């Protein structure tokens, strides 16, 4: 997948024109860049990952390509409390599948969003994992899990075929 594919996956879930967002488990920044592209100048992204090397790589590319977007990086575990509040939106791309028990993380994530704030999830459409994707969640599983953890109006955004685990989907859910 290239940058346009990343943008296409999350485009319908992101309102452009700035805003304060977080990217949890951002890695080297494939979706941080896509989010920056969609938010445009004045956007603020708090990018969270435990991998300092990936964050360094991400910072360099962000500075080169989207210097007008404010990037704040945190080396942190998103499964532990993060001091983030009243966010317009959160992207979690290929990171929730590392959590066996997702409920606590999802409740924390919901608490970081302002009312009406959005969670854009990108995941493999599968429920059976492997060593690289240990605890995946299909879209039907996400529909139930998001509802059970206080999100509303979950909807599928798009899907793309994947050689690995067949398909990737994106979905948006809202904090009430
Ligand atoms: C498969 S990569 C995905 C990176 C990026 N979101 C993307 O889709 O290209 C998963 C990333 O999530 C990070 N990650 C996994 N669990 C995490 C946690 N509990 N806290 C912070 N980062 C985490 C990993 O360090 C890794 O960079």
């Amino acid at each position: 997948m290239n940058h346009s594919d990343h943008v296409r996956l999350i485009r319908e879930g992101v309102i452009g024109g700035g805003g304060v967002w977080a990217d949890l488990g951002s890695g080297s920044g494939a979706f941080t860049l896509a989010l920056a592209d969609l938010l445009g100048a004045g956007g603020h992204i708090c990018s969270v990952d435990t991998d300092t090397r990936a964050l360094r790589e991400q910072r360099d590319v962000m500075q080169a390509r989207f210097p007008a977007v404010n990037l704040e990086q945190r080396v942190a575990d998103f499964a532990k409390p993060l001091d983030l509040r009243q966010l317009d939106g959160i992207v979690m791309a290929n990171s929730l599948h590392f959590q066996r028990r997702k409920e606590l993380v999802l409740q924390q994530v919901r608490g970081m969003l302002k009312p009406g704030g959005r969670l854009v999830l990108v995941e493999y459409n599968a429920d059976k994992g492997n060593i690289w994707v240990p605890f995946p969640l299909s879209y039907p599983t996400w529909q139930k899990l998001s509802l059970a953890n206080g999100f509303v109006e979950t909807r599928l955004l798009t899907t793309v075929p994947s050689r690995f685990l067949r398909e990737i989907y994106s979905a948006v859910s809202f904090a009430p």
Side-chain angles (χ1 to χ4, degrees):
M1 283 205 288
N2 59 27
H3 179 70
S4 321
D5 298 319
H6 298 135
V7 170
R8 195 160 40 80
L9 264 165
I10 64 168
R11 185 192 302 279
E12 295 297 315
V14 177
I15 306 172
V20 181
W21 283 64
D23 183 359
L24 304 182
S26 56
S28 51
F31 286 91
T32 321
L33 291 162
L35 184 58
D37 205 349
L38 291 164
L39 295 181
H44 179 105
I45 302 174
C46 179
S47 168
V48 177
D49 207 290
T50 47
D51 183 340
T52 44
R53 189 188 297 191
L55 287 177
R56 220 174 299 129
E57 190 184 318
Q58 174 196 122
R59 184 196 56 209
D60 292 345
V61 186
M62 279 286 291
Q63 273 170 4
R65 294 186 57 188
F66 298 105
V69 174
N70 188 5
L71 178 70
E72 171 196 349
Q73 294 190 322
R74 293 200 194 176
V75 182
D77 179 349
F78 63 65
K80 298 194 174 141
L82 295 170
D83 182 24
L84 290 171
R85 289 283 170 273
Q86 293 292 313
L87 298 176
D88 294 298
I90 293 175
V91 169
M92 291 190 82
N94 305 307
S95 56
L96 190 57
H97 65 228
F98 289 102
Q99 299 293 314
R100 181 194 294 274
R101 296 204 47 95
K102 300 172 176 53
E103 289 77 2
L104 197 62
V105 171
L106 288 173
Q107 282 162 32
Q108 284 178 181
V109 166
R110 184 167 49 78
M112 294 176 204
L113 291 167
K114 68 182 191 186
R118 29 189 75 217
L119 170 60
V120 177
L121 185 78
V122 178
E123 275 297 344
Y124 291 100
N125 205 355
D127 287 308
K128 194 171 175 313
N130 56 40
I131 54 167
W132 298 282
V133 180
F135 311 112
L137 58 158
S138 65
Y139 179 65
T141 298
W142 175 238
Q143 283 180 298
K144 291 183 214 125
L145 198 61
S146 56
L147 194 61
N149 288 282
F151 290 92
V152 296
E153 292 174 44
T154 291
R155 69 184 160 84
L156 187 67
L157 296 173
T158 188
T159 60
V160 290
S162 167
R163 264 179 295 170
F164 189 68
L165 292 182
R166 204 179 57 82
E167 188 173 76
I168 291 173
Y169 68 90
S170 54
V172 65
S173 307
F174 295 83

